[in-house]
């Protein structure tokens, strides 16, 4: 039977039953609320809070494997370092980091290394990714969740919310962040992976209006406190190029062999992202406030 990890224990008081919003307690290999709703803790250590529901999106096993292989090459270390630097500026109160769309936990791990007093919770809809995220750090735990739904978390429970190349839910980010906390968002610029556009046109085209859309979605809730642009040229092996493509949503259900097809691939690629730390606005416009179901 899976045991409750120290990290999951740290989050027990901060989690809420996704079905009735009451508190959760540990009961054998599961978390249970007072009404009797039960959420299994998987053998790999993550909690299945999305039990019975399916998220609208999320990585399949092949994408999560490609992501893990690519990130293990170290080619995104400068991006990870920027996230860790931005997180290091946050004053901890709750000692908690929530990583929305955490994937394999690559960035959560770096932030926890930077904040030795903090515990981290990764949320993702991909069970394959969560199996890695739950083991990414001794102070990390993870749960299945659909980022587009109200989070099964209490108000103002997080010092840091991370959103790295992942879907966003600005009202929920605002609700779960404490007022002095920070939201850290990483997204690609128009130059990101540009060299791969020739061989894989559909996979890496960045909508030029994306940055404007991000600003429009976040600005009722957050203001930017600082941005770190990260841009560099990285060498690229054939396997790395295929993995970079294999971890994009357009590669869903495609095997690496289907991506390969012997096509010529570049041996260098531009990595170009913006990492921004946002501070929550204290007043959010009426009508934009998410009304939590928490008691
Ligand atoms: C591009 S990956 C980024 C993962 C991780 N942050 C990283 O950069 O390594 C996007 C992640 O969001 C997850 N995701 C997609 N849709 C989601 C949803 N509706 N709810 C939760 N996670 C979702 C995917 O499973 C995937 O792990
Ligand atoms: Zn319940």
């Amino acid at each position: 039977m899976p045991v409750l990890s120290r990290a999951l224990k740290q989050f027990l008081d901060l989690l809420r039953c996704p079905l009735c919003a009451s508190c959760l307690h540990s009961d054998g290999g599961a978390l249970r609320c007072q009404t009797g709703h039960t959420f299994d803790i998987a053998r790999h250590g993550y909690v299945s809070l999305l039990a019975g529901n399916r998220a609208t999106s999320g990585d399949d096993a092949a994408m999560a494997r490609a992501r893990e292989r690519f990130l293990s090459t170290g080619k995104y270390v400068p991006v990870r370092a920027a996230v860790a630097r931005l997180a290091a500026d946050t004053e901890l109160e709750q000692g908690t980091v929530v990583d929305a769309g955490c994937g394999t936990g690559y960035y959560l791990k770096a932030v926890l290394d930077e904040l030795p007093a903090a515990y981290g919770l990764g949320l993702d809809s991909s069970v394959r990714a969560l199996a890695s995220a739950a083991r990414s750090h001794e102070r990390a735990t993870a749960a299945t969740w659909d980022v587009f739904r109200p989070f099964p978390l209490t108000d103002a429970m997080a010092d840091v919310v991370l959103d790295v190349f992942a879907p966003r839910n600005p009202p929920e980010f605002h609700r779960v962040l404490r007022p002095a906390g920070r939201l850290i968002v990483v997204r690609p610029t128009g130059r990101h992976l540009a060299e791969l556009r020739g061989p894989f046109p559909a996979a890496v085209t960045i909508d030029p209006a994306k940055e404007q859309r991000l600003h429009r979605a976040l600005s009722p809730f957050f203001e930017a406190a600082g941005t770190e642009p990260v841009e560099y040229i990285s060498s690229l092996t054939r396997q790395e190029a295929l993995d970079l493509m294999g971890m994009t949503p357009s590669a869903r259900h495609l095997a690496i062999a289907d991506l390969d097809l012997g096509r010529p691939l570049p041996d260098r690629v531009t990595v170009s992202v913006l990492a921004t730390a946002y501070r929550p606005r204290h007043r959010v416009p009426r009508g934009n406030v998410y009304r939590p179901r928490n008691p």
Side-chain angles (χ1 to χ4, degrees):
M1 185 190 303
V3 284
L4 196 66
S5 68
R6 189 158 60 98
L8 183 52
K9 238 182 242 166
Q10 289 290 324
F11 280 94
L12 257 191
D13 288 346
L14 307 174
L15 291 170
R16 287 294 175 265
C17 173
L19 300 175
C20 70
S22 60
C23 301
L24 293 171
H25 61 271
S26 113
D27 185 1
L31 299 187
R32 197 186 293 274
C33 76
Q34 62 206 26
T35 317
H37 300 125
T38 303
F39 306 94
D40 290 338
I41 301 171
R43 183 163 57 86
H44 298 290
Y46 61 83
V47 195
S48 298
L49 290 179
L50 204 50
N53 291 302
R54 283 196 149 266
T56 44
S57 50
D59 284 7
D60 63 20
M63 290 164 73
R65 272 197 305 274
R67 184 177 312 288
E68 197 148 53
R69 261 196 316 265
F70 180 77
L71 292 174
S72 74
T73 65
K75 299 271 157 98
Y76 272 9
V77 163
V79 179
R80 186 178 72 172
V83 173
R85 273 194 302 276
L86 290 172
D89 283 346
T90 319
E91 230 174 86
L92 293 184
E93 196 175 274
Q94 303 279 17
T96 51
V97 179
V98 172
D99 187 352
C102 63
T104 55
Y106 180 73
Y107 297 93
L108 182 60
K109 175 187 184 320
V111 169
L112 293 176
D113 281 340
E114 195 66 38
L115 302 173
Y119 283 80
L121 170 69
L123 301 176
D124 206 289
S125 53
S126 163
V127 289
R128 171 60 186 80
L130 288 174
S132 297
R135 288 176 302 190
S136 62
H137 197 285
E138 58 177 8
R139 286 179 275 116
T141 187
T144 57
W145 196 246
D146 180 349
V147 166
F148 296 121
R149 295 178 203 218
F151 294 179
L153 299 171
T154 58
D155 295 355
M157 50 72 71
D159 293 305
V160 179
V161 172
L162 299 178
D163 184 285
V164 184
F165 303 121
R168 291 179 270 274
N169 187 337
E172 280 299 271
F173 290 170
H174 188 273
R175 181 181 70 78
V176 301
L177 254 186
R178 68 183 184 82
R182 288 288 180 273
L183 165 67
I184 297 171
V185 177
V186 178
R187 69 281 186 196
T189 77
R191 294 180 293 283
H192 189 54
L193 310 184
E195 295 81 352
L196 289 170
R197 254 174 236 156
F200 304 102
V204 284
T205 303
I206 311 277
D207 174 0
K210 201 178 159 123
E211 193 62 22
Q212 234 174 327
R213 270 208 315 275
L214 170 72
H215 182 73
R216 250 202 319 271
L218 288 181
S219 67
F221 304 96
F222 295 97
E223 58 185 352
T227 293
E228 280 212 29
V230 182
E231 185 162 314
Y232 54 97
I233 306 278
S234 173
S235 62
L236 205 61
T237 65
R238 189 170 183 84
Q239 182 65 50
E240 288 163 3
L242 293 171
D243 283 337
L244 264 178
M245 289 303 95
M247 62 201 238
T248 65
S250 53
R252 218 168 202 280
H253 307 312
L254 283 182
I256 290 288
D258 297 330
L259 284 167
D260 189 340
L261 304 174
R263 58 183 119 201
L265 294 174
D267 58 5
R268 288 152 74 79
V269 75
T270 305
V271 176
S272 177
V273 306
L274 296 172
T276 302
Y278 293 87
R279 67 170 72 90
R281 292 191 193 278
H282 294 311
R283 288 160 185 260
V284 295
R286 277 162 69 84
N288 266 329
V289 185
Y290 166 65
R291 306 261 171 234
R293 291 177 303 163
N294 296 355

